[in-house]
Amino acid sequence: MPEPDAVDADAVDAEVADAEAVYEEAQQVLGPFTGPAFLASLTHNAKNGVTGGVWNVSAGDRTAILKVLTRSKGATGRWAASDDPRHWNYWRREADVYTSGLAQAWQPYGIRAPRLLARVERADGDIALWLERVRGQPATRWKVARHLEHARRLGAAQGAVGEAEDQPWLSHRFLRQYVGSNTLGQELLDDDEAWQQPLVRDHFPEGLRRDMVRLHHDREWFLDVMESLPRAFSHLDLWPANTCADGPRSAVFDWAFAGDGALGEDLGNYLPDTVFDLFVPAARLPKYAARAYEAYLRGLRDSGWKGDENLVRLAVCASAVKYDWLTALMLARAGEEQVAYGGDRPVDAEHRYRERGSTLAFLAEWATEARTLAPRLGFPEAPSGR
């Protein structure tokens, strides 16, 4: 964890922007205290124009998480904050999810959000969310068995809760917007030189180029399928870095994308992300994914859900389309230094490309399964399958 910064009413930290406001809010949230509050910046996607910052705040023996939502950060392009309540990156959504109580919809089934301690509408237009600090082990360090239990709880929660009552600020058509917003490097998919870069040539499996180009060309078909499947209230950014243990249960953070998704879509995001960011070795992914899928189905059945399991399987497999952009990104950045999520440390480039290449090949198998399964369930055949 970075060295914490002391914040008091007379000292302004450039990253915090308004130390006096933080100090006053901390007094209200944590209770009156003397002396400084200490802030430690937490790893997050600093590119996202919605996130002004995330900090652990402590004063004496009291702590909380401060997350600032903003639309004034100035990010452009893909990560720009949106004022459209249906947009995948609507800047106020997370505050609304917490304030409405919807973030706790899965709590009876073993998955909850941190408690909202305070929502502060600041004079500058930003929103400060003061959240409970959950101290359990991050899912980035979980053993596979714990991931499987999380998958079971997710199935139970989504089977029982189903679709949330629609709210104007919940995301709709998230997957289509998210995938379509990232075009970096797409022209390289058909570029011979890009595929001959050493990191790509030496560490991407044979046949991956063919499979990923095919996935890209079939993208609209996959998105149409995903939007036609049974729906569920979904987190839509569920991965180990947003999850930690809460005793025997789970806590999930960062509800900024929450909204309408296909039943099974969250699992289809969680499993590959576990490997893409090097939390579980790629060699274990096939067995891990199969067991996690069975755990998710077990949770669904235990919840009383009576739907067609083939439709859930189709959602998990077709969700491979979310990573259409990642192959192009890997091609575009094969000549750059490789850094971990949040940009705070380097990672071994060869290891990353080998692990991600293997995971993309696994997702190509999911895509193939989706193309086979969909027509059996009444969907049109994929264009490349005709």
Side-chain angles (χ1 to χ4, degrees):
M1 178 177 291
E3 189 69 24
D5 300 311
V7 176
D8 60 37
D10 299 316
V12 177
D13 181 283
E15 185 184 11
V16 176
D18 188 346
E20 185 173 356
V22 172
Y23 190 80
E24 292 177 356
E25 290 168 12
Q27 291 277 347
Q28 297 173 13
V29 174
L30 301 177
F33 58 86
T34 58
F38 292 92
L39 273 69
S41 182
L42 300 178
T43 300
H44 61 282
N45 180 5
K47 296 178 182 178
N48 195 334
V50 169
T51 308
V54 186
W55 299 269
N56 180 60
V57 183
S58 60
D61 61 352
R62 290 164 289 181
T63 63
I65 301 299
L66 168 62
K67 183 171 185 178
V68 175
L69 309 182
T70 185
R71 59 180 172 181
S72 60
K73 190 173 180 177
T76 58
R78 179 174 188 244
W79 290 109
S82 175
D83 289 320
D84 178 359
R86 295 300 197 189
H87 190 274
W88 70 272
N89 210 30
Y90 174 51
W91 79 277
R92 297 178 64 96
R93 179 176 297 116
E94 187 167 18
D96 292 334
V97 173
Y98 272 107
T99 305
S100 70
L102 194 53
Q104 303 298 354
W106 297 342
Q107 184 169 357
Y109 313 98
I111 299 176
R112 72 176 182 94
R115 288 181 297 111
L116 177 65
L117 305 178
R119 168 179 171 163
V120 180
E121 303 271 351
R122 291 181 171 173
D124 62 3
D126 290 350
I127 302 174
L129 295 180
W130 288 83
L131 303 166
E132 167 198 10
R133 181 186 178 191
V134 183
R135 297 178 179 273
Q137 184 185 48
T140 56
R141 300 204 300 267
W142 284 359
K143 296 184 181 301
V144 167
R146 189 64 193 260
H147 290 295
L148 299 181
E149 176 58 18
H150 182 64
R152 186 195 68 78
R153 293 184 186 279
L154 178 64
Q158 292 190 313
V161 172
E163 297 182 67
E165 181 179 350
D166 191 26
Q167 300 292 339
W169 35 260
L170 287 174
S171 63
H172 273 218
R173 308 185 87 188
F174 165 82
L175 192 59
R176 184 179 297 275
Q177 293 181 38
Y178 179 86
V179 172
S181 69
N182 194 339
T183 59
L184 179 64
Q186 285 188 358
E187 72 283 356
L188 300 178
L189 290 171
D190 294 312
D191 187 316
D192 292 341
E193 290 187 6
W195 287 92
Q196 285 302 310
Q197 296 175 96
L199 279 177
V200 176
R201 180 194 63 218
D202 297 342
H203 301 293
F204 276 11
E206 184 178 354
L208 185 64
R209 176 179 182 177
R210 176 197 64 238
D211 292 337
M212 291 298 101
V213 169
R214 184 181 183 189
L215 178 64
H216 182 67
H217 289 166
D218 287 353
R219 186 168 76 178
E220 290 300 313
W221 178 86
F222 278 97
L223 293 171
D224 287 344
V225 167
M226 289 295 289
E227 291 173 355
S228 303
L229 289 166
R231 317 312 294 167
F233 171 61
S234 301
H235 183 277
L236 298 173
D237 193 22
L238 196 62
W239 65 305
N242 281 342
T243 308
C244 77
D246 178 37
R249 301 188 173 194
S250 303
V252 172
F253 320 120
D254 199 356
W255 293 81
F257 300 160
D260 171 68
L263 184 64
E265 185 174 339
D266 273 339
L267 183 68
N269 186 90
Y270 189 89
L271 296 177
D273 269 4
T274 308
V275 181
F276 279 136
D277 285 278
L278 309 178
F279 306 134
V280 170
R284 303 181 70 178
L285 179 56
K287 184 176 181 180
Y288 161 53
R291 294 174 66 194
Y293 176 69
E294 286 303 320
Y296 183 81
L297 284 183
R298 187 164 64 253
L300 280 175
R301 297 187 198 107
D302 290 347
S303 76
W305 180 82
K306 303 295 185 183
D308 185 348
E309 293 177 5
N310 288 308
L311 293 172
V312 179
R313 182 62 186 174
L314 179 56
V316 172
C317 291
S319 67
V321 72
K322 182 178 182 182
Y323 298 96
D324 167 54
W325 62 272
L326 184 57
T327 306
L329 182 71
M330 299 294 286
L331 294 173
R333 295 187 172 168
E336 301 176 6
E337 180 186 19
Q338 302 297 309
V339 296
Y341 174 77
D344 60 342
R345 59 184 173 83
V347 297
D348 180 85
E350 293 189 352
H351 180 58
R352 166 174 277 178
Y353 272 73
R354 184 165 56 249
E355 294 292 285
R356 287 191 171 181
S358 295
T359 306
L360 289 169
F362 176 82
L363 291 178
E365 294 177 4
W366 267 5
T368 298
E369 185 176 343
R371 292 187 188 96
T372 301
L373 182 57
R376 297 176 185 171
L377 297 172
F379 293 89
E381 288 188 353
S384 61
R386 293 173 182 164

